[in-house]
Amino acid sequence: MSRTETLTIDELGARGDGVAKSGDGQVFVPYTLAGETVTVIADGRRAALLSVRTPSPDRVEPVCRHFETCGGCALQHMGPDAYRTWKAGLLDRALGARGLDTSVIRQAHFCEPRTRRRAVFSAILTEKGVLLGFQQAASNTVVDIEECHVIAPEIDAARPALKAVLEPLLPAGRTVHATVNLTLSGLDVAVEGKIAPDDRQKRAAADIVRAEGLARLTVNGEIVLAPKRPLVAFDDVMVSPPPGAFLQAVPEMETVMADLVTGHMAKSKRVADLYAGCGTFALRLAKSSTVHAVEGDGPALAALDRGFRDNSDRKLKPVTVERRDLARRPMTAHELRVFDGVVFDPPRAGAEAQAREIAASTVRRVAAISCNPETLARDLAILIQAGFTLKSVTPVDQFIWTPHLEAVALLERRTGRKRHWSDM
């Protein structure tokens, strides 16, 4: 049963919610800060904020009118200095919980507002037209946004055009998702959902694509119209990503991560790039190393391979590709014997099984990239127990005002006998 309470926020949890103590134990209160006294409606361990009775000196006015409504940002109410301290602390906390050396954590890199080149919108057709925005937290309600301080201005300004493109495609009342990637050629729009537009609807959408100058429109993987070939640059290597492709969120932060990875691998002759995507790291590494790129997503891998072949004038070293589900079938220690460097950039669940194979291999250098400090710490602990030294971990915040944090960890194997993971 819900109840009204006055609570004091003790700290921020890992998801950015305030944590308070009540008679029933811990309570998590979104949009609050440590030290604040707040009035809430509590229901079990979750609470909705009613008012802030004693605000923290770190509290600021949110920059966006949709904050607390659209379900995107969690921390716009937190001043920039406090936000950066808390965000970098997520990595320190995760490594410390595993008993890892936190002194190797380097200064964090932070992105600026309005720099995200990739957005996944929700859209629904109503009597009032298309609503385009994000889904309210813990809800299926689509919030029709009028501004966004996270995404790049080119995407934000295109919202009316995106609504116009979607309107002829959507049946009333059915929510779809539209992934919009900002490429060098323009906006690449990939619509996914339980819809099956007919030829007339597709022609109507295609006319708007032409009029608005979009690069490409696809619906459930089928190209409706592609007036321009979408292109992204991995350093100076051009790649055409597949529809809805995963790209690092902020180009500047991608460069930071890539510089760390390529610098660490500079002395490696043969590198395995695991969870390689479209080639974010592989095609940069190929400037000095032979690379074997492994990825489970077929279209992404094909884009990487084509990017390598299309850039023969860049004098890249050989790049081979392999489609493989690394979560189910990681590269084995035996397969890794021909590589002296490994890069892996898995999803949020991490790469526990793959880390154990790397630990049992003869690989000398490892670069681990992760958007989840907890699973990164777990995977690092496996490698360190096997004889690797953690040289550095660099926090990279390309998810502004959220609790998500990227990090790049660089490791080298200590000399001496390696330990098999089964001995641990």
Side-chain angles (χ1 to χ4, degrees):
M1 178 179 292
S2 61
R3 63 197 183 278
T4 301
E5 288 192 56
T6 298
L7 302 173
T8 298
I9 305 300
D10 297 318
E11 62 177 346
L12 289 192
R15 296 183 182 275
D17 294 340
V19 182
K21 295 183 180 68
S22 75
D24 296 328
Q26 282 187 330
V27 178
F28 296 87
V29 189
Y31 315 122
T32 59
L33 299 173
E36 292 186 330
T37 302
V38 298
T39 302
V40 305
I41 297 178
D43 186 0
R45 299 188 66 189
R46 302 293 302 175
L49 178 65
L50 290 179
S51 65
V52 179
R53 299 180 62 175
T54 308
S56 164
D58 293 324
R59 179 170 285 275
V60 296
E61 190 69 21
V63 297
C64 180
R65 74 184 79 177
H66 301 296
F67 182 62
E68 296 188 31
T69 303
C70 87
C73 297
L75 293 153
Q76 283 191 18
H77 61 297
M78 193 177 195
D81 292 340
Y83 166 77
R84 291 185 173 198
T85 298
W86 175 80
K87 196 70 173 281
L90 294 174
L91 188 60
D92 187 276
R93 183 188 302 182
L95 267 60
R98 292 276 177 175
L100 304 183
D101 181 10
T102 59
S103 69
V104 299
I105 297 177
R106 293 184 177 177
Q107 184 174 355
H109 296 260
F110 294 93
C111 70
E112 295 297 321
R114 301 183 185 276
T115 55
R116 187 180 175 97
R117 67 174 168 190
R118 186 174 191 270
V120 182
F121 293 111
S122 294
I124 187 169
L125 179 61
T126 70
E127 293 179 354
K128 297 181 180 180
V130 175
L131 305 183
L132 178 76
F134 304 104
Q135 288 179 297
Q136 198 168 9
S139 169
N140 292 324
T141 301
V142 177
V143 178
D144 189 41
I145 63 170
E146 298 180 30
E147 62 178 346
C148 181
H149 293 256
V150 174
I151 57 180
E154 294 90 336
I155 300 177
D156 196 23
R159 285 180 292 101
L162 296 172
K163 288 184 177 184
V165 168
L166 290 170
E167 187 163 10
L169 300 173
L170 301 184
R174 183 163 295 171
T175 301
V176 301
H177 299 289
T179 299
V180 182
N181 280 329
L182 175 59
T183 75
L184 297 175
S185 316
L187 298 185
D188 183 15
V189 183
V191 182
E192 297 285 340
K194 294 181 179 180
I195 59 173
D198 58 28
D199 289 343
R200 177 188 59 80
Q201 293 170 306
K202 293 175 186 176
R203 284 195 298 271
D207 289 343
I208 300 167
V209 168
R210 289 191 191 91
E212 296 292 346
L214 303 182
R216 179 171 61 185
L217 171 66
T218 60
V219 176
N220 292 327
E222 177 189 351
I223 296 178
V224 175
L225 189 70
K228 293 173 280 188
R229 184 185 180 200
L231 291 171
V232 295
F234 298 142
D235 199 359
D236 60 349
V237 180
M238 307 299 289
V239 173
S240 182
F246 171 81
L247 300 174
Q248 295 294 340
V250 177
E252 183 182 355
M253 297 299 101
E254 176 184 283
T255 299
V256 168
M257 293 189 289
D259 287 348
L260 289 167
V261 170
T262 55
H264 188 57
M265 292 292 157
K267 295 181 180 179
S268 298
K269 293 182 179 180
R270 290 180 56 84
V271 177
D273 182 13
L274 310 182
Y275 303 93
C278 299
T280 303
F281 301 113
L283 295 174
R284 288 177 165 101
L285 289 165
K287 292 186 175 182
S288 58
S289 305
T290 298
V291 180
H292 183 58
V294 185
E295 168 60 48
D297 185 311
L301 196 66
L304 189 163
D305 187 47
R306 182 176 177 181
F308 167 68
R309 298 176 188 282
D310 286 351
N311 286 271
S312 57
D313 58 323
R314 302 299 177 193
K315 297 182 179 179
L316 302 176
K317 292 187 179 296
V319 175
T320 54
V321 297
E322 177 184 355
R323 186 176 183 182
R324 183 165 177 166
D325 184 343
L326 290 165
R328 296 185 176 185
R329 194 165 65 91
M331 288 196 73
T332 65
H334 180 73
E335 290 173 304
L336 291 170
R337 72 191 186 283
V338 298
F339 302 101
D340 48 354
V342 167
V343 177
F344 66 97
D345 183 11
R348 287 187 59 78
E352 182 175 6
Q354 185 61 73
R356 294 194 183 282
E357 294 296 336
I358 297 170
S361 74
T362 56
V363 169
R364 305 295 306 173
R365 297 179 186 84
V366 172
I369 304 95
S370 174
C371 60
N372 186 337
E374 286 79 14
T375 56
L376 173 65
R378 178 201 64 203
D379 296 345
L380 293 180
I382 292 169
L383 296 172
I384 291 167
Q385 288 174 339
F388 281 90
T389 297
L390 184 58
K391 307 296 289 186
S392 68
V393 190
T394 304
V396 180
D397 182 18
Q398 56 177 345
F399 307 105
I400 190 170
W401 297 316
T402 78
H404 303 301
L405 179 67
E406 203 93 23
V408 179
L410 306 178
L411 305 97
E412 289 183 1
R413 190 183 292 278
R414 296 189 297 273
T415 56
R417 177 184 176 273
K418 70 177 187 300
R419 297 171 62 195
H420 193 275
W421 64 265
S422 60
D423 297 330
M424 301 172 199

